Amino acid sequence: MSEDDYCLIDATRPPRAQGPPYAACVLCREPTEYPESYKGITLCPVCEWQEAQRTACSG
């Protein structure tokens, strides 16, 4: 097993919005950096960071 064989989580992200209106975060309802027209789960920068910490591989 090589160094690159861990944490193979699909980290696809929605496209960044060029300006308002922004999609609401699905956890805290704060504005995100993503367009309101995006269909899917959107997280604000704070919740995105917290989710990444929660799901990070712990080696």
Side-chain angles (χ1 to χ4, degrees):
M1 189 163 151
S2 76
E3 258 182 50
D4 299 325
D5 289 340
Y6 60 93
C7 277
L8 300 177
I9 297 170
D10 180 19
T12 57
R13 298 174 69 170
R16 298 264 184 216
Q18 298 300 315
Y22 299 107
C25 175
V26 297
L27 298 178
C28 70
R29 306 308 297 165
E30 289 294 320
T32 66
E33 299 173 339
Y34 307 113
E36 191 175 64
S37 61
Y38 179 76
K39 302 296 183 218
I41 295 172
T42 53
L43 298 174
C44 70
V46 173
C47 290
E48 200 169 79
W49 181 83
Q50 290 173 341
E51 186 68 11
Q53 292 294 313
R54 188 181 71 75
T55 60
C57 295
S58 58

